[in-house]
Amino acid sequence: MSLDSIIQGGMVDHERPTRALVLMGGGARTAYQVGVLGALASMLRLQPGNDAHFPFQVLVGTSAGALNVAYLASGAARGMVAFDELRAFWGDLHCNHVYQLEAPAWVGFSRLLAAARLWGEARRRGAILDTMPLVDTLHRAIPLAGIDGALQAGALDAVAITASSYTSGVHWTFCQAATERQPWNRPGRRAEFQPLTIEHLMASSAIPFLFPATPLWVDGHREFFGDGSMRQVSPLSPAVHLGARKVLVVGVGQPERSGFGVGHVAGAPGFAGMAAHAMASVFHDTLQGDVEQTQRLARTLHELPRELASVLPYRAIEVLAIQPTESLDAIARKHAHLLPPTVQRALGGAAALRNGGGALASYLLFEPAFVQALVSLGEQDAYARKDELLAFFA
């Protein structure tokens, strides 16, 4: 994170300590975040003096993490029950609620035919999958008026969704806030304050090549947007710009790529393996560096003499990052057979997805068994760091 972001955040005055929740993207993998947040809510409910109010003032979401953020924001006025409702939403989810793909049975008998079919779908709508089911799901599940209600009631200070413009190459943060704020403009990164819509969510979660781009209006003209994880060089900066002093970030990466651990397949990678590697770079490779830099700046500021620190325009930002301790790719390989048959055929069959394509499957497996496995892992990882989480909210 750049120093100008820290300065900008340090100039925002708040009467209460501002905590931000930052949820990163990763398709179906973001079910992991549901488990972490559910466990966190259970911990906080057991604390003396708990008032069950929503524990964050700023919410920032990217890609599928933006869907989780919008869902939470729409229910934040009801307090921590919003976390329970988010879990129920994911528990009822299936792939056909998110996307569809028409691929005849004969496609599965030939890689060449499968590639031709995928290329035809991509040319027709700019992506392999049709995401109109997700549009319908979001309209039914997320009452956007609830976001404004939470802001007006003081349950939240701001909500932000990130997306990347295919048109200009700029990474945009779209914000909705309780009070008037100044947007920021940095090289390659801009912000704009406007009411959030389903179109913003679709743009932020448009996984490249898989989901189609979504048009949005910025600076008085239309641009086409894709997944907010693309060109996201500083995932934490929107939270800091919006006044956060403490940031809890939940990612869905992993300590090492599972393709080089359990289930490694020798030989040249297929389409599924290459696509998974590309998406892993898009979704996960910037978070760790941003967290480390922010923590390093915080340590430096704490080590300064108090007299000097008090006159500097910087404020230390406390960051707690949680990511899976187990390979989500390996979990996905065990559930790859649950993908819709058309998707399995188009991606080379269930065997290809098990043998090296588990990572690609993990982005598309919006099925209860896989979701529950990730939710359980999120709960397990959160409880393993219970002391850190409670200290964060102390």
Side-chain angles (χ1 to χ4, degrees):
M1 184 184 302
S2 61
L3 279 176
D4 64 324
S5 295
I6 301 294
I7 296 173
Q8 178 83 10
M11 291 179 175
V12 179
D13 247 348
H14 287 269
E15 296 178 357
R16 57 182 173 175
T18 302
R19 299 188 190 94
L21 174 65
V22 176
L23 299 181
M24 303 298 292
R29 301 163 72 99
T30 53
Y32 172 82
Q33 298 167 349
V34 179
V36 172
L37 296 174
L40 172 62
S42 296
M43 295 176 203
L44 295 179
R45 286 185 177 113
L46 295 175
Q47 295 307 297
N50 169 58
D51 55 12
H53 285 173
F54 196 75
F56 299 98
Q57 291 76 51
V58 173
L59 297 177
V60 178
T62 294
S63 190
L67 309 186
N68 286 340
V69 156
Y71 195 101
L72 291 173
S74 69
R78 296 190 294 277
M80 282 193 286
V81 70
F83 297 118
D84 304 325
E85 295 169 345
L86 179 64
R87 180 168 185 159
F89 167 74
W90 274 88
D92 292 335
L93 210 56
H94 290 271
C95 292
N96 64 343
H97 298 147
V98 180
Y99 59 82
Q100 60 186 10
L101 172 65
E102 296 181 4
W106 49 262
V107 168
F109 295 109
S110 167
R111 290 187 178 182
L112 182 60
L113 291 175
R117 181 71 184 196
L118 294 178
W119 176 249
E121 293 294 329
R123 283 180 60 86
R124 186 164 63 88
R125 57 173 165 254
I128 295 172
L129 301 174
D130 178 3
T131 54
M132 281 307 298
L134 180 57
V135 174
D136 295 337
T137 297
L138 295 178
H139 274 292
R140 290 194 303 269
I142 302 177
L144 295 175
I147 297 178
D148 186 61
L151 293 169
Q152 297 305 318
L156 292 173
D157 291 344
V159 183
I161 302 299
T162 67
S164 183
S165 173
Y166 288 117
T167 306
S168 65
V170 174
H171 190 270
W172 282 83
T173 301
F174 299 98
C175 310
Q176 188 171 344
T179 57
E180 187 174 346
R181 306 283 188 91
Q182 278 295 112
W184 59 90
N185 187 345
R186 302 290 182 269
R189 297 184 287 126
R190 292 190 60 182
E192 187 165 298
F193 284 81
Q194 55 183 251
L196 298 177
T197 66
I198 297 300
E199 285 72 26
H200 289 102
L201 302 182
M202 293 300 297
S204 181
S205 58
I207 300 174
F209 305 112
L210 295 179
F211 292 0
T214 299
L216 296 173
W217 286 85
V218 291
D219 285 344
H221 64 276
R222 190 175 71 163
E223 296 188 11
F224 284 86
F225 284 81
D227 201 290
S229 298
M230 297 186 293
R231 295 200 169 194
Q232 190 176 38
V233 296
S234 187
L236 305 184
S237 65
V240 176
H241 278 291
L242 293 170
R245 293 290 180 270
K246 293 186 172 187
V247 180
L248 173 64
V249 54
V250 186
V252 292
Q254 47 204 18
E256 61 180 68
R257 302 276 175 83
S258 66
F260 298 95
V262 179
H264 171 53
V265 179
F271 168 80
M274 289 188 289
H277 181 79
M279 283 197 285
S281 300
V282 168
F283 283 110
H284 310 310
D285 288 351
T286 60
L287 175 59
Q288 185 175 356
D290 203 31
V291 169
E292 289 177 353
Q293 184 176 5
T294 305
Q295 291 174 335
R296 187 163 56 248
L297 283 169
R299 287 194 299 270
T300 300
L301 291 171
H302 283 308
E303 290 169 0
L304 291 175
R306 184 176 302 176
E307 296 78 9
L308 175 60
S310 64
V311 298
L312 290 176
Y314 310 131
R315 296 294 181 270
I317 308 298
E318 179 182 343
V319 179
L320 176 59
I322 295 182
Q323 296 206 76
T325 56
E326 298 179 17
S327 166
L328 303 191
D329 299 357
I331 297 173
R333 277 194 290 271
K334 298 175 183 177
H335 296 86
H337 64 282
L338 298 175
L339 279 170
T342 54
V343 175
Q344 292 187 41
R345 289 196 294 267
L347 298 181
L353 291 170
R354 287 194 301 270
N355 299 325
L360 180 58
S362 70
Y363 296 93
L364 300 175
L365 264 168
F366 295 91
E367 291 294 327
F370 180 65
V371 165
Q372 184 53 52
L374 267 56
V375 169
S376 297
L377 178 60
E379 292 174 332
Q380 171 187 307
D381 289 351
Y383 278 111
R385 302 181 66 179
K386 179 178 179 180
D387 291 344
E388 292 176 79
L389 284 167
L390 292 180
F392 180 89
F393 288 93

